[in-house]
Coordinates of all heavy atoms in Angstrom, one line a residue:
M1 N 70.9 14.7 112.9 CA 72.2 15.2 112.4 C 71.9 16.6 111.9 O 70.9 17.0 111.4 CB 72.6 14.4 111.2 CG 73.9 14.5 111.2 SD 74.4 13.2 110.3 CE 75.0 13.0 109.0
R2 N 72.7 17.5 112.1 CA 72.7 18.8 111.8 C 73.2 19.1 110.3 O 74.3 18.5 110.0 CB 73.7 19.7 112.6 CG 73.1 20.5 113.5 CD 74.3 21.0 114.3 NE 74.1 22.1 115.1 CZ 74.9 22.7 115.8 NH1 76.2 22.1 116.0 NH2 74.7 23.7 116.6
S3 N 72.5 19.9 109.5 CA 72.9 20.1 108.2 C 73.7 21.5 108.2 O 73.5 22.3 108.8 CB 71.7 20.1 107.4 OG 71.1 21.4 107.5
I4 N 74.8 21.2 107.6 CA 75.8 22.4 107.5 C 75.5 23.3 106.1 O 75.5 22.5 105.1 CB 77.2 22.0 107.6 CG1 77.5 21.3 109.0 CG2 78.1 23.2 107.3 CD1 78.7 20.6 109.1
A5 N 75.3 24.5 106.2 CA 75.1 25.2 105.0 C 76.4 25.3 104.2 O 77.4 25.4 104.8 CB 74.6 26.6 105.4
P6 N 76.3 25.2 102.9 CA 77.5 25.2 102.0 C 78.2 26.7 102.2 O 77.4 27.7 102.4 CB 77.1 25.0 100.7 CG 75.6 25.2 100.7 CD 75.1 25.0 102.1
A7 N 79.6 26.8 102.2 CA 80.3 28.0 102.3 C 79.9 28.9 101.1 O 79.9 28.4 100.0 CB 81.6 27.8 102.5
T8 N 79.7 30.1 101.3 CA 79.5 31.1 100.2 C 80.7 31.8 99.9 O 81.5 32.1 100.8 CB 78.3 32.1 100.6 OG1 78.7 32.8 101.7 CG2 76.9 31.5 100.8
K9 N 80.9 32.0 98.7 CA 82.1 32.7 98.2 C 81.7 34.2 98.2 O 80.7 34.6 97.6 CB 82.5 32.3 96.8 CG 83.0 30.8 96.9 CD 83.5 30.4 95.5 CE 84.0 29.0 95.6 NZ 84.6 28.7 94.2
A10 N 82.7 35.1 98.5 CA 82.6 36.4 98.4 C 82.7 37.0 97.0 O 83.4 36.4 96.2 CB 83.7 37.2 99.2
A11 N 81.8 37.9 96.8 CA 81.8 38.4 95.4 C 83.2 39.0 95.0 O 83.7 39.7 96.0 CB 80.7 39.4 95.1
P12 N 83.7 38.9 93.9 CA 85.0 39.6 93.6 C 84.9 41.0 93.6 O 83.9 41.6 93.4 CB 85.2 39.1 92.1 CG 84.1 38.6 91.6 CD 83.1 38.2 92.7
A13 N 86.0 41.6 94.0 CA 86.0 43.1 94.1 C 86.0 43.6 92.7 O 86.5 43.2 91.7 CB 87.3 43.6 94.9
P14 N 85.3 44.8 92.6 CA 85.3 45.4 91.3 C 86.7 46.0 90.9 O 87.5 46.3 91.8 CB 84.3 46.8 91.4 CG 84.3 46.9 92.9 CD 84.5 45.6 93.5
P15 N 87.0 46.0 89.6 CA 88.4 46.6 89.2 C 88.5 47.9 89.6 O 87.5 48.7 89.7 CB 88.3 46.4 87.7 CG 86.8 46.4 87.3 CD 86.2 45.8 88.5
A16 N 89.8 48.3 90.0 CA 90.1 49.6 90.3 C 89.8 50.6 89.2 O 90.1 50.2 88.1 CB 91.5 49.8 90.8
P17 N 89.4 51.8 89.5 CA 89.2 52.7 88.3 C 90.5 53.1 87.7 O 91.6 53.4 88.3 CB 88.5 53.9 89.0 CG 88.8 53.8 90.5 CD 89.0 52.3 90.7
T18 N 90.4 53.2 86.5 CA 91.7 53.7 85.8 C 91.8 55.2 85.7 O 90.8 55.9 85.6 CB 91.7 53.1 84.3 OG1 90.7 53.6 83.7 CG2 91.7 51.6 84.3
R19 N 93.0 55.6 85.9 CA 93.2 57.0 85.8 C 93.7 57.5 84.5 O 94.6 56.8 84.0 CB 94.2 57.5 86.9 CG 93.6 57.4 88.3 CD 94.7 58.0 89.3 NE 94.2 58.0 90.6 CZ 94.9 58.1 91.6 NH1 96.2 58.5 91.5 NH2 94.3 58.2 92.8
S20 N 93.1 58.5 83.9 CA 93.7 58.9 82.7 C 94.9 59.8 83.0 O 94.8 60.8 83.8 CB 92.7 59.6 81.8 OG 92.2 60.8 82.4
R21 N 96.0 59.8 82.2 CA 97.1 60.7 82.4 C 96.9 61.9 81.7 O 96.6 61.9 80.5 CB 98.4 60.0 82.1 CG 98.7 58.7 82.9 CD 100.1 58.2 82.6 NE 100.2 57.1 83.3 CZ 101.4 57.0 84.2 NH1 102.1 57.9 84.4 NH2 101.5 55.9 85.0
T22 N 97.1 63.0 82.4 CA 97.0 64.3 81.6 C 98.2 65.1 81.8 O 98.8 64.9 83.0 CB 95.8 65.2 82.1 OG1 95.9 65.4 83.5 CG2 94.4 64.4 81.8
T23 N 98.6 65.9 80.9 CA 99.8 66.7 81.0 C 99.4 68.2 80.9 O 98.5 68.5 80.1 CB 101.0 66.5 80.1 OG1 100.3 66.5 78.7 CG2 101.5 65.0 80.3
A24 N 100.0 69.0 81.7 CA 99.7 70.4 81.6 C 100.4 71.0 80.3 O 101.4 70.5 79.8 CB 100.3 71.2 82.7
P25 N 99.7 71.9 79.6 CA 100.3 72.3 78.4 C 101.5 73.1 78.7 O 101.7 73.5 79.8 CB 99.3 73.3 77.9 CG 98.4 73.7 79.0 CD 98.4 72.5 80.0
A26 N 102.6 73.0 77.8 CA 103.8 73.7 78.0 C 103.6 75.2 78.2 O 102.8 75.7 77.6 CB 104.7 73.5 76.9
A27 N 104.3 75.8 79.1 CA 104.2 77.1 79.5 C 104.8 77.9 78.3 O 105.9 77.6 77.7 CB 105.0 77.5 80.7
Q28 N 104.1 79.0 77.8 CA 104.5 79.7 76.7 C 105.5 80.8 77.3 O 105.3 81.3 78.3 CB 103.4 80.6 76.0 CG 102.5 79.6 75.4 CD 103.0 78.8 74.2 OE1 103.8 79.4 73.5 NE2 102.8 77.6 74.1
P29 N 106.7 81.0 76.6 CA 107.6 82.0 77.2 C 107.0 83.4 77.1 O 106.3 83.8 76.2 CB 108.9 81.8 76.3 CG 108.3 81.2 75.0 CD 107.1 80.4 75.3
T30 N 107.4 84.2 78.1 CA 107.1 85.7 78.1 C 107.7 86.4 77.2 O 108.9 86.0 76.8 CB 107.0 86.2 79.5 OG1 108.4 86.1 79.8 CG2 106.2 85.4 80.5
K31 N 107.3 87.6 76.8 CA 108.0 88.4 75.9 C 109.4 88.8 76.5 O 110.4 88.7 75.7 CB 107.2 89.6 75.5 CG 107.9 90.5 74.6 CD 107.0 91.8 74.3 CE 107.5 92.8 73.3 NZ 108.6 92.4 72.5
A32 N 109.5 89.1 77.7 CA 110.7 89.5 78.4 C 111.8 88.4 78.4 O 112.9 88.6 78.1 CB 110.4 89.9 79.9
S33 N 111.3 87.2 78.5 CA 112.3 86.1 78.5 C 112.8 85.6 77.1 O 113.9 85.1 76.9 CB 111.6 84.8 79.1 OG 110.7 84.3 78.3
T34 N 112.0 86.0 76.1 CA 112.5 85.7 74.8 C 113.4 86.9 74.2 O 114.1 86.8 73.3 CB 111.3 85.5 73.8 OG1 110.4 86.6 73.8 CG2 110.7 84.3 74.3
D35 N 113.3 88.0 74.9 CA 114.0 89.2 74.4 C 115.3 89.6 75.2 O 115.9 90.6 74.9 CB 113.1 90.5 74.5 CG 111.9 90.6 73.5 OD1 112.1 89.7 72.5 OD2 111.0 91.2 73.7
C36 N 115.7 88.7 76.1 CA 116.9 89.0 76.8 C 118.2 88.7 75.9 O 118.2 87.9 75.1 CB 116.9 88.1 78.0 SG 117.2 86.3 77.8
Y37 N 119.1 89.5 76.2 CA 120.4 89.3 75.6 C 121.5 90.0 76.3 O 121.2 90.9 77.1 CB 120.4 89.9 74.1 CG 120.1 91.4 74.1 CD1 121.1 92.4 74.0 CD2 118.8 91.9 74.1 CE1 121.0 93.6 74.1 CE2 118.5 93.3 74.1 CZ 119.6 94.1 74.0 OH 119.4 95.4 74.1
P38 N 122.7 89.7 76.3 CA 123.3 88.4 75.6 C 122.7 87.2 76.5 O 122.2 87.4 77.6 CB 124.7 88.6 75.6 CG 125.1 89.4 76.7 CD 123.8 90.4 76.8
R39 N 122.9 86.1 75.9 CA 122.5 84.8 76.7 C 123.8 84.0 77.0 O 124.9 84.2 76.5 CB 121.6 83.9 75.8 CG 120.3 84.5 75.6 CD 119.4 83.6 74.7 NE 118.1 84.1 74.5 CZ 117.0 83.7 75.3 NH1 117.1 82.9 76.2 NH2 116.0 84.3 75.0
S40 N 123.6 83.2 78.1 CA 124.8 82.5 78.6 C 125.0 81.4 77.5 O 124.3 81.2 76.6 CB 124.5 81.7 80.0 OG 123.4 80.9 79.7
N41 N 126.1 80.7 77.7 CA 126.6 79.8 76.8 C 125.4 78.6 76.8 O 125.5 77.9 75.7 CB 128.0 79.0 77.2 CG 129.0 80.0 77.0 OD1 128.9 80.9 76.4 ND2 130.2 79.7 77.6
A42 N 124.6 78.4 77.7 CA 123.7 77.3 77.9 C 122.4 77.9 77.2 O 121.4 77.3 77.2 CB 123.5 76.9 79.4
G43 N 122.3 79.1 76.9 CA 121.1 79.8 76.4 C 120.2 80.3 77.2 O 119.1 80.8 76.9
N44 N 120.6 80.6 78.5 CA 119.7 81.2 79.6 C 119.9 82.8 79.6 O 121.0 83.4 79.2 CB 120.1 80.6 80.9 CG 119.8 79.1 80.9 OD1 118.9 78.6 80.4 ND2 120.9 78.4 81.5
C45 N 118.9 83.3 80.1 CA 118.9 84.8 80.3 C 119.8 85.0 81.6 O 119.7 84.3 82.5 CB 117.5 85.4 80.6 SG 116.5 85.2 79.0
Y46 N 120.5 86.3 81.6 CA 121.3 86.6 82.8 C 120.4 87.4 83.7 O 119.5 88.1 83.3 CB 122.4 87.5 82.3 CG 123.6 86.7 81.7 CD1 123.9 86.9 80.4 CD2 124.4 85.9 82.5 CE1 125.1 86.0 79.9 CE2 125.5 85.2 82.0 CZ 125.9 85.3 80.8 OH 126.9 84.5 80.2
K47 N 120.8 87.5 85.0 CA 120.2 88.3 86.0 C 121.3 89.2 86.7 O 122.4 88.7 86.8 CB 119.4 87.4 87.0 CG 118.4 86.6 86.5 CD 117.8 85.7 87.7 CE 116.7 84.8 87.0 NZ 116.3 83.9 88.1
A48 N 120.9 90.3 87.0 CA 121.9 91.1 87.8 C 122.5 90.4 88.9 O 121.8 89.7 89.7 CB 121.2 92.4 88.3
G49 N 123.8 90.5 89.1 CA 124.5 89.9 90.2 C 125.2 88.6 89.7 O 126.2 88.2 90.4
Q50 N 124.8 88.1 88.6 CA 125.6 86.9 88.1 C 126.9 87.3 87.5 O 127.0 88.4 86.9 CB 124.7 86.2 87.1 CG 123.4 85.5 87.7 CD 122.7 84.7 86.6 OE1 122.5 85.3 85.4 NE2 122.2 83.5 86.8
I51 N 127.8 86.4 87.5 CA 129.0 86.6 86.9 C 128.9 86.6 85.4 O 128.3 85.8 84.9 CB 130.1 85.5 87.5 CG1 130.2 85.7 89.0 CG2 131.4 85.7 86.7 CD1 131.1 84.6 89.6
C52 N 129.5 87.5 84.7 CA 129.4 87.6 83.3 C 131.0 87.2 82.7 O 131.9 87.2 83.4 CB 129.2 89.0 82.7 SG 130.0 90.3 83.5
R53 N 130.9 86.7 81.5 CA 132.2 86.4 80.8 C 133.0 87.6 80.6 O 132.6 88.6 80.5 CB 131.8 85.8 79.4 CG 130.9 84.7 79.5 CD 130.4 84.2 78.1 NE 129.5 85.1 77.6 CZ 128.5 84.6 76.9 NH1 128.2 83.4 76.6 NH2 127.5 85.6 76.5
K54 N 134.4 87.3 80.6 CA 135.4 88.4 80.4 C 135.1 89.0 79.1 O 135.3 90.3 78.9 CB 136.8 87.8 80.5 CG 137.2 87.4 81.8 CD 138.7 86.9 81.7 CE 139.1 86.5 83.0 NZ 140.5 86.0 83.2
A55 N 134.6 88.3 78.1 CA 134.4 88.9 76.7 C 133.2 89.9 76.7 O 133.1 90.6 75.9 CB 134.1 87.8 75.8
D56 N 132.4 89.8 77.7 CA 131.2 90.7 77.9 C 131.4 91.9 78.7 O 130.5 92.8 78.8 CB 130.0 89.9 78.5 CG 129.4 88.9 77.5 OD1 129.7 88.9 76.5 OD2 128.9 87.8 78.1
I57 N 132.7 92.1 79.2 CA 133.0 93.2 80.1 C 132.7 94.5 79.3 O 133.2 94.6 78.1 CB 134.3 93.2 80.6 CG1 134.5 92.0 81.6 CG2 134.7 94.5 81.4 CD1 136.0 91.8 82.1
G58 N 132.0 95.5 79.7 CA 131.6 96.6 79.0 C 130.5 96.6 78.1 O 129.9 97.6 77.6
T59 N 129.9 95.4 77.9 CA 128.7 95.3 77.1 C 127.3 95.5 77.9 O 127.4 95.2 79.2 CB 128.6 93.9 76.4 OG1 128.5 92.9 77.3 CG2 129.7 93.8 75.5
S60 N 126.3 95.8 77.3 CA 125.0 95.9 77.9 C 124.0 95.0 77.2 O 124.2 94.5 76.1 CB 124.6 97.4 78.1 OG 124.4 97.9 76.8
G61 N 122.9 94.9 77.9 CA 121.9 94.0 77.3 C 120.5 94.1 78.2 O 120.3 95.1 78.8
R62 N 119.8 93.1 78.1 CA 118.5 93.0 78.9 C 118.5 91.8 79.6 O 118.8 90.7 79.2 CB 117.3 93.1 77.9 CG 117.1 94.3 77.1 CD 116.4 95.4 78.0 NE 116.4 96.6 77.3 CZ 116.2 97.7 77.9 NH1 115.9 97.8 79.0 NH2 116.2 98.9 77.2
D63 N 118.0 91.9 80.9 CA 118.0 90.5 81.8 C 116.6 89.9 81.4 O 115.8 90.2 80.5 CB 118.0 90.9 83.2 CG 116.9 91.7 83.8 OD1 115.9 92.0 83.2 OD2 117.0 92.1 85.0
A64 N 116.5 88.8 82.2 CA 115.1 87.8 82.0 C 113.8 88.7 82.1 O 112.9 88.4 81.7 CB 115.2 86.8 83.0
N65 N 114.0 89.8 83.0 CA 112.8 90.7 83.1 C 112.6 91.9 82.3 O 111.7 92.8 82.5 CB 112.7 91.2 84.6 CG 112.6 90.0 85.6 OD1 111.7 89.0 85.4 ND2 113.4 90.1 86.6
G66 N 113.6 92.0 81.3 CA 113.6 93.0 80.3 C 114.3 94.3 80.8 O 114.3 95.4 80.1
R67 N 114.8 94.2 82.0 CA 115.6 95.3 82.6 C 117.0 95.6 81.9 O 117.7 94.5 81.6 CB 115.7 95.3 84.1 CG 114.3 95.5 84.8 CD 114.4 95.2 86.3 NE 115.2 96.2 86.8 CZ 115.3 96.4 88.3 NH1 114.8 95.4 89.0 NH2 116.1 97.1 88.6
A68 N 117.5 96.7 81.7 CA 118.8 97.0 81.3 C 119.9 96.5 82.2 O 119.8 96.8 83.3 CB 119.0 98.4 80.9
I69 N 120.8 95.7 81.8 CA 122.0 95.3 82.6 C 123.3 95.5 81.8 O 123.4 95.7 80.6 CB 121.8 93.7 82.9 CG1 121.7 92.9 81.6 CG2 120.7 93.5 83.8 CD1 121.8 91.4 81.8
Q70 N 124.4 95.6 82.7 CA 125.6 95.9 82.0 C 126.7 95.1 82.7 O 126.6 94.9 84.0 CB 126.0 97.4 82.3 CG 127.3 97.7 81.5 CD 127.7 99.2 81.6 OE1 127.1 100.0 82.2 NE2 128.7 99.5 80.8
C71 N 127.7 94.4 82.0 CA 128.7 93.6 82.6 C 129.8 94.6 82.9 O 130.4 95.3 82.2 CB 129.1 92.6 81.5 SG 130.5 91.8 82.1
R72 N 130.0 94.6 84.2 CA 131.1 95.6 84.8 C 132.1 94.9 85.6 O 131.8 93.7 86.1 CB 130.4 96.6 85.7 CG 129.4 97.3 85.1 CD 128.8 98.4 86.0 NE 127.7 99.2 85.5 CZ 126.7 99.5 86.1 NH1 126.5 99.2 87.4 NH2 125.7 100.2 85.4
R73 N 133.2 95.3 85.7 CA 134.4 94.8 86.4 C 134.1 94.9 87.8 O 133.7 95.9 88.3 CB 135.8 95.5 86.0 CG 136.9 94.7 86.6 CD 138.1 95.1 85.8 NE 138.9 94.0 85.1 CZ 139.0 92.8 85.1 NH1 138.2 92.2 85.9 NH2 139.7 92.1 84.4
D74 N 134.4 93.8 88.7 CA 134.1 93.9 90.1 C 135.4 93.3 90.6 O 135.7 92.1 90.4 CB 132.9 92.9 90.4 CG 132.7 92.8 91.8 OD1 133.3 93.2 92.6 OD2 131.5 92.4 92.2
D75 N 136.1 94.0 91.3 CA 137.4 93.7 91.9 C 137.3 92.5 92.8 O 138.3 91.7 93.0 CB 138.1 94.9 92.7 CG 138.5 96.0 91.7 OD1 138.7 95.8 90.6 OD2 138.3 97.2 92.3
S76 N 136.2 92.2 93.5 CA 136.1 91.2 94.4 C 135.9 89.7 93.6 O 136.4 88.7 94.2 CB 134.9 91.2 95.5 OG 133.8 91.2 94.7
V77 N 135.2 89.6 92.5 CA 135.1 88.3 91.8 C 135.4 88.4 90.3 O 135.4 87.4 89.7 CB 133.6 88.0 92.0 CG1 133.3 87.5 93.4 CG2 132.6 88.9 91.4
G78 N 135.8 89.6 89.9 CA 136.1 89.7 88.4 C 135.2 90.5 87.7 O 135.4 91.6 87.5
Q79 N 134.0 90.0 87.3 CA 133.0 90.7 86.6 C 131.6 90.2 86.9 O 131.4 89.1 87.1 CB 133.2 90.8 85.1 CG 133.4 89.5 84.5 CD 134.7 88.7 84.5 OE1 135.7 89.3 85.0 NE2 134.6 87.4 84.3
R80 N 130.7 91.1 86.9 CA 129.3 90.9 87.3 C 128.4 91.7 86.5 O 128.7 92.7 86.1 CB 128.9 91.1 88.7 CG 129.5 90.0 89.8 CD 128.8 90.2 91.0 NE 129.5 89.2 92.0 CZ 129.0 88.1 92.2 NH1 127.9 87.6 91.5 NH2 129.7 87.2 93.0
W81 N 127.1 91.2 86.3 CA 126.1 91.8 85.5 C 125.4 92.8 86.6 O 125.2 92.2 87.8 CB 125.0 90.9 84.9 CG 125.5 90.2 83.8 CD1 125.8 88.9 83.7 CD2 125.7 90.7 82.5 NE1 126.3 88.6 82.4 CE2 126.0 89.6 81.6 CE3 125.4 92.0 81.9 CZ2 126.4 89.9 80.3 CZ3 125.8 92.2 80.5 CH2 126.1 91.0 79.7
G82 N 125.0 93.9 86.2 CA 124.5 94.8 87.3 C 123.5 95.8 86.5 O 123.6 96.0 85.3
Y83 N 122.7 96.5 87.3 CA 121.8 97.5 86.7 C 122.5 98.8 86.5 O 123.5 99.2 87.2 CB 120.6 97.7 87.5 CG 119.7 96.4 87.7 CD1 119.5 95.7 88.9 CD2 119.2 95.8 86.5 CE1 118.8 94.6 88.9 CE2 118.4 94.8 86.5 CZ 118.2 94.1 87.8 OH 117.5 93.0 87.9

């Protein structure tokens, strides 16, 4: 009679390596972005070409890059920020 070898069990797989979650530090605002004015109702800096509020027509300020901008009447759309 033939002897049958007992079945061997496979070794359990090692646990998967755990990943530590890292987050990037929050970006610090640049001087230009903190010095822009006036700001939109949402608190954002304006850029040239964006539509400005009727109340801002004739006013000037600084865009997100620190450049001087002015709200001017534009016959095609009403009013826009421009250099």
Side-chain angles (χ1 to χ4, degrees):
M1 209 163 114
R2 250 174 163 178
S3 70
I4 300 176
T8 58
K9 294 184 178 180
T18 59
R19 291 183 176 170
S20 62
R21 294 183 183 245
T22 60
T23 57
Q28 296 296 320
T30 61
K31 182 171 175 30
S33 67
T34 58
D35 290 342
C36 67
Y37 64 92
R39 291 183 180 257
S40 69
N41 291 343
N44 299 318
C45 297
Y46 284 110
K47 295 179 185 174
Q50 290 181 313
I51 295 174
C52 54
R53 300 174 284 218
K54 288 182 182 181
D56 291 333
I57 295 174
T59 62
S60 60
R62 296 277 174 195
D63 71 2
N65 296 320
R67 294 174 65 178
I69 56 174
Q70 184 175 10
C71 179
R72 298 181 184 145
R73 191 153 240 341
D74 182 345
D75 293 332
S76 64
V77 293
Q79 59 278 346
R80 288 193 181 267
W81 289 104
Y83 298 116

